[in-house]
């Protein structure tokens, strides 16, 4: 688990001249689950958007699968299609659940494989909703559809932005199990943003703490929670951080 | 066209029973005549309806070909001057046809700025081409504005998420158009309705010349003024039927065909 799939160097992102992300160096290993924690507005979702090549960085470099991508440079479609994200606020198409889930395959020209899609929906507890109109779904159902549509084309890297925020306890453990299985069986690299430190501990191989756009601490999960090095990490974990 | 004159029974004060009865009689008789005129495929009626279809259909086709892509572009991205452009567009949606008619009349008249050029591509006044020009100016803002509004109604987060799912920028745009298809169909239907129903501009720049620039609406005005209510009603029914059929086609396209992605 030491080969890096992503390398970020001096990566900075500004919005209206306000520095939101400032990462001097970060490696993401192939096949790991990296959990990112941090307070609201610390830049977690921004980091995921940059990793998904959805926005250009202001400066710095992203190296992905051996290809170096300077800010603003076009990213080859083949590379971009290796990465996908489950968004904090999923926006679904005004169509059936099945049509939503098949979208990523359709744009890639992959065969529809309705059987496999149905099995995927079954694993997410959505089988009975396959034909339902997506706008009618509940918040938790939408979130699971958003996960299903990302898994449908078997991406190499899965970016998860609080994927269990709207789920009931049963579905949280269902999704956590799925994430773990997927990582183990298919070697999918995952970057998971969560506000749930217990979830971070359950799922993460490594945990990074993001504060004001900077990686304050990054360590193997066990060490991160039992022996955090930085005082700010300790304060954050104890719910005492004032920033 | 057969000229039949329906006379109101008496000119007594309004609201008297005798007159009301006569008016209803006229309407019923007119309806009967109208059905007959339509079923007998009266050549003059067919010619007038055909010109309506040609003029409004061409204006609609031009407006859709230019207005849908422009409206989509305006609905999908912001730039400096965007708000001003939207204001102009929405104002254009309410342009009075007679004002457009006047404007086109002046432009195309023999010593107007365009008419004086006497160039091959400039339409001449009192021709179907002049009528198409006026109607296009009237409905282009409608088609564009409603298309823009339809795309503004699509979830602004969607595009980025489609890209994340692996769509190319073009695929994402196409998907957003499909998402907005009900609104785009309404834009096309509104443009069609406005064109077919429009009288003022086609009257001014077309001149309602029999056999040349007479369309359904201008013919209805004329026949009504002459008291030929049966013909007027027949033409009105044909106008409605045409709108019905074309809207049916638009909605079929929207529901079945327009689903590439
Ligand atoms: N498109 C944008 N334009 C301007 N500012 C933005 C934009 N996107 C994010 N920001 C700002 O960047 C900062 C980081 O936002 P980000 O969404 O990455 O935070 P986050 O860590 O995901 O927070 P949360 O835990 O609330 O989801 C915030 O202050 C936010 O207001
Ligand atoms: Mg966020």
């Amino acid at each position: 688990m030491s080969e890096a799939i992503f390398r970020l160097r001096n990566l900075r992102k500004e919005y209206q001249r306000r520095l939101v992300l400032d990462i001097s160096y970060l490696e993401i290993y192939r096949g790991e689950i990296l959990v990112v924690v941090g307070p609201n507005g610390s830049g977690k979702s921004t980091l995921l958007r940059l990793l998904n090549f959805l926005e250009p960085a202001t400066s710095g470099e992203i190296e992905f699968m051996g290809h170096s991508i300077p800010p603003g440079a076009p990213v080859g479609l083949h590379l971009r299609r290796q990465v996908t994200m489950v968004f904090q606020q999923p926006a679904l198409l005004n169509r059936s659940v099945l049509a939503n889930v098949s979208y990523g395959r359709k744009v890639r020209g992959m065969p529809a494989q309705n059987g496999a899609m149905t099995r995927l929906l079954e694993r997410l507890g959505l089988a009975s909703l396959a034909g339902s109109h997506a706008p009618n779904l509940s918040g938790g159902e939408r979130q699971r559809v958003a996960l299903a549509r990302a898994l449908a084309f078997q991406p190499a890297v899965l970016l998860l932005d609080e994927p269990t925020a709207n789920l009931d306890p049963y579905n949280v453990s269902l999704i956590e199990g799925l994430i773990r299985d997927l990582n183990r069986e298919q070697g999918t690299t995952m970057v998971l943003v969560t506000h749930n430190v217990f979830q971070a501990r359950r799922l993460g191989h490594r945990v990074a703490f993001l504060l004001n756009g900077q990686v304050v601490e990054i360590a193997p999960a066990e060490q991160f929670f039992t022996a955090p090095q930085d005082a700010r990490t300790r304060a954050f974990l104890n719910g005492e951080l004032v920033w | 066209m057969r000229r039949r004159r329906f006379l109101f029974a008496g000119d007594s004060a309004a609201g008297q029973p005798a007159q009301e009865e006569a008016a209803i009689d006229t309407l019923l008789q007119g309806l009967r005549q109208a059905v007959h005129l339509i079923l007998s495929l009266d050549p003059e009626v067919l010619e007038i309806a055909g010109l309506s279809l040609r003029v409004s259909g061409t204006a609609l086709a031009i407006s859709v070909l230019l207005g849908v892509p422009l409206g989509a572009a305006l609905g999908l991205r912001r730039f400096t001057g965007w708000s001003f452009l939207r204001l102009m567009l929405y104002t254009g949606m309410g342009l009075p046809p007679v004002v457009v008619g006047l404007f086109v009349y002046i432009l195309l008249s023999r010593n107007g700025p365009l008419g004086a050029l006497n160039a091959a591509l400039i339409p001449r006044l009192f021709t179907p081409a002049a009528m198409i020009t006026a109607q296009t100016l009237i409905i282009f803002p409608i088609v564009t504005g409603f298309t823009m509004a339809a795309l503004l109604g699509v979830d602004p987060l969607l595009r980025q998420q489609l890209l994340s799912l692996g769509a190319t920028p073009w695929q994402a745009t196409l998907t957003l158009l499909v998402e907005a298809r009900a609104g785009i169909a309404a834009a096309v239907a509104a443009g069609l309705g406005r064109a077919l129903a429009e009288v003022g501009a086609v009257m001014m720049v077309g001149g309602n010349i029999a056999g040349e620039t007479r369309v359904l609406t201008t013919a209805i005005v004329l026949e009504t003024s002459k008291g030929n209510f049966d013909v007027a009603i027949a033409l009105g029914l044909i106008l409605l039927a045409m709108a019905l059929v074309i809207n049916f086609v638009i909605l079929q396209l929207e529901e079945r065909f327009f689903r590439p992605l």
Side-chain angles (χ1 to χ4, degrees):
Chain A
M1 192 146 91
S2 52
E3 187 204 343
I5 192 165
F6 271 108
R7 277 197 191 87
L8 314 185
R9 295 189 187 88
N10 299 317
L11 193 71
R12 291 159 71 92
K13 177 69 183 176
E14 291 174 7
Y15 288 115
Q16 284 99 45
R17 319 205 115 253
R18 188 165 68 90
L19 188 60
V20 165
L21 198 66
D22 183 10
I23 294 179
S24 51
Y25 188 75
L26 177 67
E27 282 184 339
I28 298 168
Y29 302 132
R30 194 182 280 273
E32 79 166 329
I33 301 180
L34 173 66
V35 173
V36 179
V37 296
N40 290 138
S42 55
K44 304 182 297 295
S45 298
T46 304
L47 171 64
L48 295 193
R49 283 197 298 275
L50 293 188
L51 292 175
N52 202 177
F53 312 110
L54 294 173
E55 288 175 17
T58 306
S59 64
E61 182 203 347
I62 297 179
E63 189 190 305
F64 177 57
M65 289 183 156
H67 299 265
S68 164
I69 298 146
V75 184
L77 188 61
H78 175 72
L79 273 186
R80 188 161 72 73
R81 282 184 168 169
Q82 305 291 320
V83 189
T84 194
M85 161 139 67
V86 176
F87 287 79
Q88 202 168 358
Q89 296 175 48
L92 302 181
L93 296 171
N94 204 343
R95 307 184 202 177
S96 73
V97 166
L98 189 61
N100 270 280
V101 172
S102 308
Y103 186 80
R105 299 184 67 87
K106 210 163 176 181
V107 294
R108 283 171 175 74
M110 294 165 88
Q113 286 199 335
N114 282 333
M117 293 305 103
T118 309
R119 280 194 295 284
L120 177 62
L121 289 176
E122 268 163 21
R123 279 192 81 172
L124 287 156
L126 294 168
S128 63
L129 295 173
S132 301
H133 196 52
N136 298 338
L137 300 181
S138 77
E141 288 163 352
R142 304 175 126 257
Q143 204 156 31
R144 280 178 286 147
V145 171
L147 184 59
R149 70 176 177 179
L151 299 181
F153 48 87
Q154 298 178 312
V157 180
L158 185 59
L159 309 170
L160 301 156
D161 202 346
E162 298 185 43
T164 60
N166 294 315
L167 301 185
D168 60 52
Y170 168 77
N171 276 305
V172 170
S173 62
L174 183 86
I175 298 306
E176 286 187 2
L178 186 73
I179 289 173
R180 213 179 282 117
D181 290 351
L182 204 73
N183 171 258
R184 218 173 278 153
E185 291 160 17
Q186 310 201 4
T188 310
T189 306
M190 301 195 187
V191 181
L192 170 75
V193 169
T194 181
H195 285 297
N196 181 337
V197 288
F198 301 103
Q199 181 172 68
R201 199 163 182 174
R202 284 194 295 270
L203 290 178
H205 297 139
R206 291 193 304 156
V207 181
F209 175 43
L210 205 61
L211 182 65
N212 295 327
Q214 299 186 336
V215 180
V216 167
E217 182 158 357
I218 180 165
E222 196 54 29
Q223 181 189 328
F224 184 92
F225 289 106
T226 54
Q229 303 296 299
D230 196 289
R232 290 168 296 177
T233 311
R234 280 195 293 278
F236 176 73
L237 290 175
N238 293 330
E240 293 160 357
L241 183 78
V242 180
W243 71 93
Chain B
M1 200 175 298
R2 281 156 298 157
R3 305 280 172 236
R4 182 168 281 103
R5 181 158 277 272
F6 292 97
L7 291 172
F8 280 110
D11 277 325
S12 47
Q16 282 193 357
Q19 191 197 349
E20 269 177 22
E21 239 168 68
I24 290 169
D25 264 3
T26 309
L27 196 74
L28 285 178
Q29 211 172 332
L31 266 175
R32 226 171 286 134
Q33 290 293 338
V35 171
H36 175 74
L37 261 181
I38 294 168
L39 293 182
S40 66
L41 299 176
D42 184 294
E44 202 178 338
V45 170
L46 283 183
E47 188 193 307
I48 292 174
L51 188 63
S52 261
L53 195 62
R54 197 179 115 207
V55 169
S56 298
T58 309
L60 183 69
I62 296 170
S63 300
V64 167
L65 285 176
L66 300 176
V68 170
L70 178 65
L74 290 172
L76 288 172
R77 46 188 86 218
R78 304 286 167 100
F79 44 85
T80 44
W82 184 89
S83 302
F84 178 75
L85 216 67
R86 178 155 82 143
L87 176 66
M88 292 295 101
L89 197 58
Y90 282 18
T91 307
M93 290 167 75
L95 276 184
V98 285
V99 174
V100 174
L102 176 67
F103 176 72
V104 173
Y105 189 98
I106 293 171
L107 274 185
L108 298 184
S109 65
R110 207 176 284 279
N111 37 23
L114 290 180
L117 295 176
N118 210 7
L121 283 175
I122 308 281
R124 291 172 183 286
L125 264 186
F126 311 122
T127 61
M131 296 153 76
I132 290 169
T133 307
Q135 288 208 332
T136 303
L137 288 178
I138 293 167
I139 68 173
F140 170 75
I142 294 176
V143 174
T144 311
F146 277 138
T147 300
M148 177 184 189
L151 280 142
L152 287 175
V154 177
D155 188 339
L157 300 172
L158 191 55
R159 185 183 179 83
Q160 194 170 61
Q161 305 202 2
L162 297 176
L163 293 173
S164 176
L165 289 168
T168 63
W170 268 115
Q171 286 174 325
T173 299
L174 210 60
T175 303
L176 294 175
L177 284 172
V178 174
E179 283 292 294
R181 68 184 181 278
I184 296 173
V188 178
L192 169 79
R194 187 75 185 270
L196 274 183
E198 191 277 317
V199 204
V202 284
M203 185 78 96
M204 289 167 84
V205 305
N208 194 24
I209 304 166
E212 284 182 42
T213 59
R214 182 161 301 166
V215 290
L216 286 167
T217 51
T218 54
I220 290 171
V221 172
L222 182 71
E223 298 300 331
T224 305
S225 73
K226 291 199 298 194
N228 294 335
F229 295 108
D230 58 342
V231 182
I233 291 170
L235 297 176
L237 284 178
I238 292 172
L239 193 60
L240 280 176
M242 249 160 65
L244 186 86
V245 170
I246 300 174
N247 276 311
F248 180 77
V249 173
I250 292 172
L251 290 179
Q252 288 300 306
L253 285 176
E254 188 253 303
E255 281 175 16
R256 286 159 205 270
F257 181 68
F258 193 31
R259 296 205 163 184
L261 269 176

